[in-house]
Amino acid sequence: VYSVYSTPVFDENQRIGTIFVYRDRTRESELDRMKSELVSTVSHELRTPLSSVLGFTELLLKKELKPERQKKYITTIHKEAKRLTNLINDFLDLQRMESGSQPYRMENVQLDQLVLETIYQFRHVATHELLFEDTAGGAAVQADGERMQQVLTNLISNAVKFSPAGGKVKVTLAAKDDTLQLSVSDEGLGIPESEKARLFQKFQRIDQSDRRNIGGTGLGLAICREIVEKHGGRISVESEEGKGSVFNVELPLRESGQAVDGREQAAN
Ligand code: ADP
């Protein structure tokens, strides 16, 4: 994509030619396109829960309804308002991370402790069998503990959300060569081959009838990827539809690869 500017050139009032300036705007127009795509996706994502809130409040205001029906509508309004709040929070969080306006607080983190704390939080809400297998021997990584917990929470929450009650959700930690490998596996719906690559992009959800009623913002995995990559790591997924999924996170180990007592502030 080019834009062209032209200026006539005069020599003592006599027009002797024209200067043409060609500017390559390929990259700018690509950025413009991405920006407007993001704006339209965000406004669509915000409008959907909002129209539901508006629709149901109008029904409640206009009609005399039986208490059970009122409660049903109010429950939907509450669910959608919550979804809206999560969406805005996740979106702002991701924007802040991407723009680098919130620096990471790197410290010496023992992931086994973090996994145990996170699983413990899910014990109260999930009806799943939550398992932890650790062969990493207390290996530590340089990481922002809070951000890493966000990754764990998102992955475990997805494993729970997209698998049936009573199913197994297993977190494993293992040290291999100079990386720490964390995986979260489930026995749930799985992910179609064609969707795997794009799931880590913003607002990508799988549009299948058995998933439509499962809440979410489509930002969780994009947040995970952003955090893992900022730690010099990688995130990927293996899955078979109908059988389950395994999300793998690979993080570089500390040079020493040794466990350190407690958390210490990193030199940087
Ligand atoms: P959200 O869960 O809020 O929809 P995510 O970015 O975390 O957004 O996930 C995107 C989509 O990937 C989900 O909507 C779901 O369809 C699919 N997905 C994520 N984790 C799993 C999983 N463990 N099993 C099956 N599908 C999953």
Side-chain angles (χ1 to χ4, degrees):
V1 183
Y2 288 94
S3 52
V4 185
Y5 302 93
S6 62
T7 320
V9 181
F10 293 92
D11 183 20
E12 293 181 351
N13 292 335
Q14 171 115 25
R15 184 176 175 146
I16 55 167
T18 313
I19 294 177
F20 291 95
V21 179
Y22 291 86
R23 200 159 140 232
D24 183 352
R25 294 193 65 243
T26 315
R27 196 173 141 64
E28 278 167 56
S29 68
E30 173 65 8
L31 282 176
D32 284 348
R33 191 194 56 75
M34 279 160 68
K35 255 190 234 159
S36 56
E37 196 179 292
L38 186 67
V39 169
S40 75
T41 314
V42 173
S43 38
H44 170 78
E45 294 290 330
L46 296 178
R47 217 175 272 141
T48 316
L50 257 184
S51 39
S52 175
V53 168
L54 277 177
F56 282 108
T57 38
E58 274 160 24
L59 273 178
L60 283 164
L61 287 170
K62 264 190 217 145
K63 289 195 175 168
E64 282 294 321
L65 296 163
K66 288 198 182 121
E68 311 89 74
R69 194 145 279 267
Q70 278 185 8
K71 187 146 185 220
K72 204 171 153 205
Y73 290 175
I74 292 169
T75 308
T76 309
I77 293 169
H78 182 247
K79 196 176 115 202
E80 293 296 324
K82 229 169 138 186
R83 188 169 124 71
L84 209 49
T85 312
N86 290 340
L87 187 73
I88 292 167
N89 287 342
D90 279 359
F91 187 69
L92 291 178
D93 207 21
L94 188 56
Q95 286 296 104
R96 274 195 290 264
M97 282 192 264
E98 284 178 344
S99 70
S101 68
Q102 232 172 26
Y104 283 43
R105 289 190 45 230
M106 301 303 260
E107 52 188 356
N108 199 16
V109 173
Q110 276 185 260
L111 274 191
D112 52 353
Q113 292 305 316
L114 219 53
V115 172
L116 283 173
E117 280 167 33
T118 318
I119 286 185
Y120 190 75
Q121 287 169 12
F122 278 92
R123 286 249 151 87
H124 303 289
V125 286
T127 51
H128 296 61
E129 199 182 334
L130 298 167
L131 305 166
F132 179 31
E133 189 181 290
D134 179 16
T135 58
V141 285
Q142 276 293 304
D144 181 320
E146 242 173 75
R147 294 289 182 208
M148 270 302 145
Q149 184 148 39
Q150 214 175 342
V151 171
L152 274 167
T153 304
N154 279 341
L155 294 181
I156 299 175
S157 147
N158 277 349
V160 165
K161 258 186 350 188
F162 298 103
S163 63
K168 257 190 217 146
V169 170
K170 186 162 143 194
V171 182
T172 63
L173 261 189
K176 194 175 163 217
D177 303 328
D178 49 359
T179 61
L180 191 61
Q181 311 206 322
L182 166 93
S183 71
V184 179
S185 60
D186 64 65
E187 303 174 329
L189 298 173
I191 295 156
E193 194 57 43
S194 57
E195 305 276 348
K196 280 183 193 161
R198 58 177 199 102
L199 278 192
F200 295 95
Q201 293 167 15
K202 288 174 211 166
F203 300 114
Q204 297 297 334
R205 308 193 73 219
I206 300 171
D207 191 23
Q208 286 177 338
S209 57
D210 51 356
R211 298 176 194 247
R212 254 172 235 142
N213 289 328
I214 303 176
T217 61
L219 288 170
L221 289 176
I223 290 176
C224 289
R225 184 176 71 173
E226 170 69 24
I227 296 174
V228 170
E229 288 183 353
K230 281 266 159 69
H231 283 83
R234 280 196 314 212
I235 185 165
S236 59
V237 62
E238 293 164 64
S239 176
E240 202 176 325
E241 239 188 312
K243 294 232 166 109
S245 314
V246 187
F247 282 84
N248 296 304
V249 173
E250 239 180 62
L251 294 168
L253 269 174
R254 278 170 55 85
E255 272 149 295
S256 65
Q258 295 297 309
V260 179
D261 279 338
R263 289 178 177 188
E264 61 182 25
Q265 200 64 36
N268 53 349

